[in-house]
Structure formats: structure tokens, C-alpha cells
Amino acid sequence: MPSPVLRFAPSPNGRLHLGHAYSALLNAAFAAEMRGRLLLRLEDIDPLRCRPDLAAAVTDDLSWLGLTFEAPVRRQSEHMAAYRAVLDGLRDRGLAYPCFCSRKAVAAAASGRDPDGAPLYPGTCRGLPDAGALIAAGHPHAWRLDGAAARMQAGGLAVTVLAADGATSVRPAEPARWGDAVIARKDVPTSYHLSVVWDDAVQGVTHVVRGRDLEAATDLHVLLQALLALPSPAYHHHALIRDPAGEKLSKSLGSVALAALRREGVTAETVWRRLGFRRAPDGAPIPVR
Ligand code: GLU
């Protein structure tokens, strides 16, 4: 068994809020319990929304919270060439195709919804005979995974599930619900799904601890891992911290940003307590069950 490696992987497109703090603390708690390593990764593939000042604020907020991560911090924006090579490999194997559709066109032609509630792509651009000419002429395009071809190559798939007590179990994966998912956006040669799978493997991540909002995406992630012959980590999807109205916390809610709490004089200790953690003698968080 490789020694456990965990990671906290926020996107620096806003200030960290209590939901991030919970996820980071839970990662640190699992890492301490398993005597594993704890890494930090900045998922900053979005060139418009991810700003350097927000990336700096992430590390600042985390150290205020009292969490330390192994250096160096991995920044996805520095690895575009690697993602492009992975994408090219899938394309060369006939598993990815360019999609020239606008958001509006996809919504109009959609044949249902994906697990995120977004319009399910009906495959309009799959097998487009003049795709090469359109690319050569400079038409903007994303890249989609050919879901059916990918699933056929990958065969039966399973997700290893990590329970709160550290026990693992296995469930079947159902990537078909994602249809032909976007694996590279129009503006960058990758997507969240492609980068997260590649980086977890490159960083040797063995245990992924993240919010339940990403649970369904895991089925697509294990499909990509199988296609790319990458190891599949164990996954724990934790409950989402909600605001008083029961809504999932969004980064737009300034009042729950760690920076705002800090300005109001709230201590990191209080945040730990409010989120259900106490401090072990060695400083690591322990969930209060
Ligand atoms: N970057 C993602 C987010 O901030 C999390 C990715 C992951 O943990 O897999 O929602």
C-alpha cells in the first residue's frame, strides 16, 4: 500500500468561505488520522476568473486557519502543455472530438440533463466530416469525450468509496449519465474533469476528500482514469455546509468568507469549533463526532 496522500484543491476564483474551511479541515483530519501527506493544489485553469491576488489570498486564509500543506503548491495554470498532451492522446485514439456548438445551441438541442443539471449534449458534432477544416479556419471549439466509445474501451468501472471511519467499499460507476462531457474548454486545452484526474495521479493522491456536489463527477473521473491507465483514489464526499437559508454556500456570500470573519474578530479556533473540529495535542484537527 502506498503511503496516503491527500489534497485540498480550491479554485482561486473568489475568497475561501466556511465550506472550503470545512473541506480543508476534513482533509487535514483524514491526513493526520492516516499519517498521510497533505497537499495543496490551486485549480486555476480559468484564465478570467482565477486571479493571482485570489491565489495568494487562498494560502493566506489557510495559514490563518492554522493548516499547513506540503510545498510546493501545484498550480494547474502552469501545466497546460501536459493537459494538451493528454487531450491529444485521447483524440488520437478516437476518444475525443471537437465541438463547435455555442452554449445556446447545446441548450436548444439538449436531450436531457447531466448530473449537474446542465443540458445533456446530444452529440451534434460527433463525426463531423469537416471538423478539420473548421479547426484550420480558426473556429472556436471545445473537445468532448466520445462517451460511448470511451465506456466500451474502459469496460466495467467502480468507485472506491472512503467512509468517515476510514473503511473503504466499492460501488459501480455510471459515467453514461454525463454523455459526451467537455474535456477541454474553448479557451484552454483542458477542463476541470481532465485536470483533476491527471493531477491527482501526478501528485500520487490516494484519498480524495471533497464535497458531495462532486460525487456524480467521480463516475466520469474513474472513466478517464481507466482510459489513461491511471490509478483510482478512494473518494469521500462530505456534506456541504449550507447558509442559514439552506442554500449551498457560494463564494458570492461575503459574510461567510474567512477574510470577513477574520475582520470581524472571529478566531480560527472558533471557526474550527463551529465546523465541528477540535485540536489534537499535535495541532491536527479532529472531527468531534
Ligand atoms: N476545484 C474544485 C472546487 O473548488 C474542487 C475539485 C476537487 O476537489 O476535486 O470546487
Side-chain angles (χ1 to χ4, degrees), residues 131-153:
L134 289 171
I135 292 175
H139 288 275
H141 55 281
W143 287 86
R144 290 182 180 272
L145 188 69
D146 184 332
R151 291 193 302 277
M152 194 124 87
Q153 242 186 59

Short mmCIF file of all heavy atoms in Angstrom, two decimals, residues 131-153:
data_model
loop_
_atom_site.label_atom_id
_atom_site.label_comp_id
_atom_site.label_asym_id
_atom_site.label_seq_id
_atom_site.Cartn_x
_atom_site.Cartn_y
_atom_site.Cartn_z
N ALA A 131 -14.66 18.72 -39.62
CA ALA A 131 -14.13 19.25 -38.36
C ALA A 131 -12.71 19.81 -38.56
O ALA A 131 -12.39 20.90 -38.07
CB ALA A 131 -14.13 18.17 -37.28
N GLY A 132 -11.88 19.08 -39.29
CA GLY A 132 -10.50 19.51 -39.51
C GLY A 132 -10.45 20.86 -40.20
O GLY A 132 -9.66 21.75 -39.82
N ALA A 133 -11.31 21.05 -41.20
CA ALA A 133 -11.33 22.32 -41.95
C ALA A 133 -11.81 23.45 -41.05
O ALA A 133 -11.28 24.58 -41.11
CB ALA A 133 -12.25 22.18 -43.16
N LEU A 134 -12.79 23.17 -40.21
CA LEU A 134 -13.30 24.20 -39.30
C LEU A 134 -12.22 24.64 -38.31
O LEU A 134 -12.06 25.83 -38.03
CB LEU A 134 -14.53 23.69 -38.53
CG LEU A 134 -15.81 23.51 -39.36
CD1 LEU A 134 -16.88 22.79 -38.56
CD2 LEU A 134 -16.33 24.87 -39.84
N ILE A 135 -11.45 23.67 -37.81
CA ILE A 135 -10.36 24.00 -36.88
C ILE A 135 -9.31 24.83 -37.62
O ILE A 135 -8.86 25.87 -37.11
CB ILE A 135 -9.72 22.71 -36.29
CG1 ILE A 135 -10.72 22.02 -35.36
CG2 ILE A 135 -8.42 23.04 -35.54
CD1 ILE A 135 -10.26 20.69 -34.81
N ALA A 136 -8.95 24.38 -38.83
CA ALA A 136 -7.94 25.10 -39.62
C ALA A 136 -8.39 26.53 -39.91
O ALA A 136 -7.57 27.45 -39.97
CB ALA A 136 -7.67 24.34 -40.92
N ALA A 137 -9.70 26.72 -40.04
CA ALA A 137 -10.23 28.06 -40.33
C ALA A 137 -10.36 28.90 -39.06
O ALA A 137 -10.82 30.04 -39.12
CB ALA A 137 -11.58 27.95 -41.04
N GLY A 138 -9.97 28.32 -37.94
CA GLY A 138 -9.93 29.10 -36.69
C GLY A 138 -11.25 29.18 -35.93
O GLY A 138 -11.42 30.06 -35.09
N HIS A 139 -12.17 28.26 -36.21
CA HIS A 139 -13.45 28.29 -35.46
C HIS A 139 -13.23 27.82 -34.02
O HIS A 139 -12.64 26.76 -33.81
CB HIS A 139 -14.50 27.39 -36.15
CG HIS A 139 -15.01 27.99 -37.43
ND1 HIS A 139 -16.03 28.90 -37.46
CD2 HIS A 139 -14.60 27.82 -38.72
CE1 HIS A 139 -16.26 29.27 -38.71
NE2 HIS A 139 -15.39 28.64 -39.50
N PRO A 140 -13.72 28.60 -33.06
CA PRO A 140 -13.54 28.20 -31.66
C PRO A 140 -14.22 26.85 -31.39
O PRO A 140 -15.31 26.60 -31.90
CB PRO A 140 -14.26 29.30 -30.87
CG PRO A 140 -14.53 30.40 -31.83
CD PRO A 140 -14.49 29.83 -33.21
N HIS A 141 -13.53 26.01 -30.63
CA HIS A 141 -14.11 24.69 -30.35
C HIS A 141 -13.65 24.16 -29.00
O HIS A 141 -12.53 24.42 -28.56
CB HIS A 141 -13.71 23.69 -31.45
CG HIS A 141 -12.23 23.59 -31.63
ND1 HIS A 141 -11.50 24.54 -32.34
CD2 HIS A 141 -11.33 22.69 -31.19
CE1 HIS A 141 -10.22 24.21 -32.32
NE2 HIS A 141 -10.09 23.09 -31.63
N ALA A 142 -14.55 23.43 -28.36
CA ALA A 142 -14.19 22.67 -27.16
C ALA A 142 -13.87 21.25 -27.63
O ALA A 142 -13.97 20.95 -28.82
CB ALA A 142 -15.39 22.68 -26.21
N TRP A 143 -13.45 20.39 -26.69
CA TRP A 143 -13.27 18.97 -27.03
C TRP A 143 -14.14 18.15 -26.09
O TRP A 143 -14.18 18.41 -24.89
CB TRP A 143 -11.80 18.56 -26.89
CG TRP A 143 -10.94 19.10 -27.99
CD1 TRP A 143 -10.35 20.32 -28.03
CD2 TRP A 143 -10.63 18.45 -29.23
NE1 TRP A 143 -9.67 20.49 -29.23
CE2 TRP A 143 -9.83 19.34 -29.99
CE3 TRP A 143 -10.95 17.20 -29.79
CZ2 TRP A 143 -9.34 19.04 -31.25
CZ3 TRP A 143 -10.46 16.89 -31.06
CH2 TRP A 143 -9.66 17.81 -31.78
N ARG A 144 -14.86 17.20 -26.69
CA ARG A 144 -15.72 16.33 -25.89
C ARG A 144 -15.23 14.90 -25.93
O ARG A 144 -14.70 14.44 -26.95
CB ARG A 144 -17.16 16.38 -26.42
CG ARG A 144 -17.85 17.69 -26.16
CD ARG A 144 -19.28 17.68 -26.65
NE ARG A 144 -19.92 18.95 -26.39
CZ ARG A 144 -20.56 19.27 -25.25
NH1 ARG A 144 -20.67 18.38 -24.30
NH2 ARG A 144 -21.09 20.46 -25.10
N LEU A 145 -15.43 14.20 -24.83
CA LEU A 145 -15.14 12.77 -24.78
C LEU A 145 -16.25 12.06 -25.54
O LEU A 145 -17.43 12.39 -25.36
CB LEU A 145 -15.14 12.33 -23.31
CG LEU A 145 -14.68 10.91 -23.03
CD1 LEU A 145 -13.17 10.79 -23.31
CD2 LEU A 145 -14.98 10.52 -21.59
N ASP A 146 -15.90 11.13 -26.40
CA ASP A 146 -16.92 10.29 -27.04
C ASP A 146 -17.30 9.24 -25.98
O ASP A 146 -16.62 8.22 -25.81
CB ASP A 146 -16.35 9.64 -28.30
CG ASP A 146 -17.42 8.84 -29.05
OD1 ASP A 146 -18.35 8.33 -28.39
OD2 ASP A 146 -17.30 8.71 -30.28
N GLY A 147 -18.37 9.54 -25.25
CA GLY A 147 -18.73 8.74 -24.07
C GLY A 147 -18.93 7.26 -24.37
O GLY A 147 -18.40 6.40 -23.66
N ALA A 148 -19.66 6.97 -25.45
CA ALA A 148 -19.96 5.57 -25.75
C ALA A 148 -18.68 4.81 -26.11
O ALA A 148 -18.43 3.71 -25.60
CB ALA A 148 -20.97 5.49 -26.89
N ALA A 149 -17.83 5.42 -26.95
CA ALA A 149 -16.57 4.76 -27.34
C ALA A 149 -15.67 4.59 -26.11
O ALA A 149 -15.02 3.56 -25.93
CB ALA A 149 -15.87 5.60 -28.39
N ALA A 150 -15.67 5.61 -25.25
CA ALA A 150 -14.82 5.57 -24.05
C ALA A 150 -15.27 4.44 -23.11
O ALA A 150 -14.44 3.67 -22.61
CB ALA A 150 -14.87 6.91 -23.33
N ARG A 151 -16.58 4.34 -22.92
CA ARG A 151 -17.08 3.32 -21.99
C ARG A 151 -16.83 1.92 -22.54
O ARG A 151 -16.53 0.99 -21.80
CB ARG A 151 -18.58 3.53 -21.73
CG ARG A 151 -18.86 4.79 -20.93
CD ARG A 151 -20.28 4.82 -20.41
NE ARG A 151 -21.27 4.73 -21.49
CZ ARG A 151 -21.71 5.76 -22.21
NH1 ARG A 151 -21.23 6.97 -21.98
NH2 ARG A 151 -22.61 5.59 -23.15
N MET A 152 -16.92 1.80 -23.87
CA MET A 152 -16.66 0.50 -24.48
C MET A 152 -15.20 0.10 -24.23
O MET A 152 -14.91 -1.04 -23.89
CB MET A 152 -16.92 0.58 -25.98
CG MET A 152 -17.00 -0.76 -26.63
SD MET A 152 -18.55 -0.89 -27.46
CE MET A 152 -18.07 -0.15 -29.01
N GLN A 153 -14.28 1.06 -24.39
CA GLN A 153 -12.87 0.74 -24.18
C GLN A 153 -12.55 0.46 -22.72
O GLN A 153 -11.72 -0.37 -22.41
CB GLN A 153 -12.00 1.90 -24.66
CG GLN A 153 -11.10 1.46 -25.78
CD GLN A 153 -10.12 2.51 -26.21
OE1 GLN A 153 -9.31 2.98 -25.41
NE2 GLN A 153 -10.18 2.85 -27.47
#
